[in-house]
Amino acid sequence: MSDTEQGHPPARPALQDYERDPGDKPPFVLTFAEVKLLGIAGVGFFLDAYDLFIINPVSTMLQYRLYGGKSLPNNLQGLLKAAANIGSVIGQFLFGYFADAIGRKAVYGKELMLIIFATIMCISCPTNDLSPDNCLIWLTVFRIVLGVGVGGDYPMSASVTSDRAVIRKRGTLLAYIFANQGWGSLVGSLATIIVLACYKHVMNDEGETSKVDGVWRIVIGLSLIPAFGTLYQRLTLPEAERYKKAKNDTITETLEAKDFKEGVKVSSLNEPEEEVHVDIQRKAHFREFLEYFSEWRHAKILIGTCTCWFLLDIAFYGINLNQNVVLQQIGYAGTTGTAWEKLFKVSTGNIIITALGFVPGYYVSVLTIEKLGRKVIQIQGFLMTALFLGILAGKFTSLGNASFIVCFALLQFFFNFGANTTTYCYPAEVFPTKYRATAHGVSAACGKAGAIISALVFNTLTSSIGTPAVLWIFFGCSLVGACFTLLLPEVAGRDPDAILAEEIREKRLQQRH
């Protein structure tokens, strides 16, 4: 069927060709338009992971630049590492709400402008003019701003992609976007090693350790390249046809086909079709959002997406924000040698951790998400991470280096071929277009709340009850996450807009009788 026959304009920009899908190729085989869309939307997750994992080596570099090699003050170090996540919670709520309320086009790109501004301010930190503590406060403030932008990218990129995706490929596209997290952390580790190698002569041979001031600024500043590279495309990306329909126009062709297939026709309800159209496509706002989720059938899904993401991030960020424990186990803690040698060894260890299971897990999700389904992947992911966390916790002191590395690699693999990917995909697929960005923002904010808790209490708990006991807590979080996944429906092939329209019709029919 041609575009005109389907009720679409015959010619539109390439990025709005989401309905032109012949359906004769596997979901993971992308068209040029889809690749272009992934390039625009995926950069946010690349920057998210790049920034998140770069702060560990950067904070170590700041020890040598600001404190003569001594540790950063505990309270300021914790705040510096948690700052981006704190900002993310704010950004996820704000951008999610406004994306539904005033439109994706009006908002998309603004989060990237915030990221660019905050990054420039971070690398402009006047370390020569401020006291060491004030330098950390400067960086913390602008990392919170950076976090607002990074957090805003979660609901924005998820909605922009889901609005344009063919339903049979929707999960695959979202998983592709989320996989940029793996590349962000890998490139961040590589960038640190390369820049450090360039500074080896001046830092290691000539002993000018203070030159590390240039290393951390370059490493952070490199993230501006992909940010500037996609800013224009984001700002000029047209509104998706699906969002326009959900806001103003007509019920989707998918719903009409569903009505005929099931023998339920709009006219059989004896009500003007326009009445349903206006109801389903009114501008989303907070009161409507609350009304929609006041029904248990909708609320339980939101509870499921929020709780699963919260529990996942407690374990995921608890492990990945505190990799010093892992680095010690594999012999890359960087406790001996010159300042440069210590930094280089830690960065090498970070690459090993990332390459072992981090990146591969994402792409197994990409290849299998439409075949296995989100629910199966999420449940098995939670159960498998619980298994390997249990092994690490129970055998923490007796595992050899090789055994520890294998176990940790499998843990990382099942984080990403599991709940770390699907908790992002679920809210983008299960909720109707008019509530999608807000619900995704709320779910993602709950996840970041778990990350903040984990970042702030991990070190304190580790020193008081020991690392194995903390790993057992993560084990429990994973098991509970598997249980809460049972609240969620499978979303493969599910059209939430069609379901919403059907619910509205049923409600009106009941009111008339």
Side-chain angles (χ1 to χ4, degrees):
M1 184 180 288
S2 71
D3 285 348
T4 308
E5 290 171 327
Q6 288 185 359
H8 302 300
R12 288 203 307 275
L15 285 177
Q16 296 194 40
D17 289 347
Y18 56 84
E19 59 279 280
R20 296 177 183 173
D21 175 48
D24 56 353
K25 293 181 181 178
F28 53 82
V29 178
L30 305 181
T31 64
F32 174 75
E34 289 165 341
V35 171
K36 190 176 177 184
L37 177 61
L38 293 186
I40 295 170
V43 72
F45 284 93
F46 178 91
L47 294 174
D48 175 32
Y50 185 96
D51 167 74
L52 175 71
F53 293 98
I54 214 69
I55 194 58
N56 285 319
V58 166
S59 62
T60 308
M61 293 175 200
L62 292 173
Q63 291 179 15
Y64 295 102
R65 176 62 184 89
L66 301 174
Y67 294 92
K70 296 177 183 176
S71 296
L72 306 182
N74 282 336
N75 54 343
L76 288 177
Q77 182 179 18
L79 199 55
L80 179 66
K81 288 189 176 182
N85 282 331
I86 292 168
S88 287
V89 173
I90 300 167
Q92 284 156 347
F93 276 120
L94 285 179
F95 281 88
Y97 173 74
F98 284 115
D100 282 341
I102 63 177
R104 281 55 154 154
K105 179 174 171 55
V107 181
Y108 203 40
K110 310 302 186 293
E111 74 294 329
L112 199 54
M113 292 169 71
L114 264 182
I115 291 172
I116 290 170
F117 166 74
T119 302
I120 291 172
M121 294 306 294
C122 282
I123 62 178
S124 302
C125 178
T127 49
N128 290 327
D129 300 324
L130 296 178
S131 68
D133 285 4
N134 285 339
C135 285
L136 293 186
I137 291 169
W138 172 292
L139 289 169
T140 298
V141 168
F142 287 108
R143 277 181 57 76
I144 290 174
V145 177
L146 178 81
V148 174
V150 166
D153 194 77
Y154 275 70
M156 289 307 308
S157 289
S159 301
V160 162
T161 304
S162 196
D163 290 349
R164 287 169 165 76
V166 183
I167 289 178
R168 79 176 190 92
K169 298 173 76 170
R170 185 179 56 202
T172 303
L173 287 172
L174 290 166
Y176 264 123
I177 285 177
F178 198 69
N180 281 283
Q181 266 200 345
W183 292 112
S185 58
L186 183 62
V187 171
S189 299
L190 279 171
T192 308
I193 277 193
I194 292 168
V195 177
L196 273 172
C198 294
Y199 272 77
K200 181 179 181 181
H201 177 70
V202 70
M203 282 182 64
N204 202 42
D205 301 339
E206 296 183 5
E208 295 185 44
T209 308
S210 63
K211 294 295 184 181
V212 76
D213 202 36
V215 178
W216 74 262
R217 292 178 199 271
I218 292 170
V219 168
I220 291 177
L222 285 172
S223 66
L224 291 171
I225 297 172
F228 275 117
T230 53
L231 180 60
Y232 175 77
Q233 284 86 352
R234 285 196 176 200
L235 292 172
T236 57
L237 190 68
E239 198 70 271
E241 291 299 309
R242 188 172 283 138
Y243 177 79
K244 289 180 185 177
K245 289 175 186 175
K247 188 178 177 185
N248 296 317
D249 303 330
T250 61
I251 298 177
T252 60
E253 296 83 26
T254 308
L255 175 59
E256 292 173 351
K258 186 175 187 292
D259 287 336
F260 281 104
K261 182 179 178 182
E262 296 181 1
V264 181
K265 296 189 178 170
V266 178
S267 57
S268 68
L269 299 179
N270 297 318
E271 60 177 299
E273 195 170 314
E274 291 80 4
E275 208 176 317
V276 179
H277 296 168
V278 171
D279 203 349
I280 193 175
Q281 285 107 19
R282 278 182 310 172
K283 182 187 290 187
H285 52 73
F286 198 60
R287 183 180 59 80
E288 274 191 295
F289 180 84
L290 292 178
E291 285 176 3
Y292 178 77
F293 286 104
S294 64
E295 295 183 41
W296 172 244
R297 60 181 170 175
H298 303 142
K300 72 175 183 179
I301 296 175
L302 186 61
I303 290 169
T305 59
C306 290
T307 308
C308 288
W309 210 333
F310 174 78
L311 292 167
L312 165 83
D313 277 8
I314 287 178
F316 180 75
Y317 285 97
I319 295 287
N320 287 294
L321 278 178
N322 298 280
Q323 290 184 348
N324 56 318
V325 175
V326 182
L327 292 171
Q328 286 170 6
Q329 288 290 323
I330 64 174
Y332 282 88
T335 52
T336 58
T338 65
W340 182 89
E341 287 167 349
K342 290 177 184 177
L343 288 168
F344 195 82
K345 196 158 192 178
V346 168
S347 299
T348 306
N350 284 330
I351 280 196
I352 293 170
I353 289 171
T354 305
L356 279 176
F358 212 81
V359 172
Y362 288 110
Y363 285 95
V364 176
S365 291
V366 167
L367 295 173
T368 61
I369 193 166
E370 303 296 354
K371 183 72 75 174
L372 296 178
R374 291 69 166 159
K375 194 168 185 174
V376 169
I377 290 176
Q378 184 157 307
I379 290 174
Q380 67 84 28
F382 270 130
L383 293 178
M384 293 303 289
T385 53
L387 170 65
F388 290 109
L389 282 165
I391 294 171
L392 286 173
K395 299 286 187 180
F396 190 76
T397 54
S398 58
L399 280 176
N401 271 10
S403 301
F404 186 92
I405 290 171
V406 169
C407 197
F408 186 79
L410 288 169
L411 172 64
Q412 291 282 43
F413 177 83
F414 283 106
F415 266 135
N416 298 311
F417 174 45
N420 193 36
T421 297
T422 53
T423 49
Y424 171 76
C425 296
Y426 248 119
E429 297 191 83
V430 75
F431 298 115
T433 301
K434 68 185 296 188
Y435 305 119
R436 179 176 294 142
T438 308
H440 198 285
V442 170
S443 302
C446 288
K448 286 297 183 188
I452 292 167
I453 291 169
S454 204
L456 294 179
V457 306
F458 182 90
N459 288 328
T460 307
L461 273 178
T462 301
S463 59
S464 60
I465 63 176
T467 302
V470 175
L471 292 174
W472 280 120
I473 293 173
F474 296 162
F475 167 85
C477 288
S478 296
L479 287 183
V480 176
C483 295
F484 270 93
T485 303
L486 299 175
L487 289 174
L488 301 173
E490 178 51 60
V491 292
R494 175 188 173 108
D495 186 346
D497 292 330
I499 293 170
L500 175 62
E502 193 64 37
E503 288 173 357
I504 291 171
R505 285 205 183 88
E506 289 172 359
K507 193 180 295 184
R508 294 213 175 157
L509 188 59
Q510 289 170 3
Q511 288 171 353
R512 295 192 175 196
H513 292 284

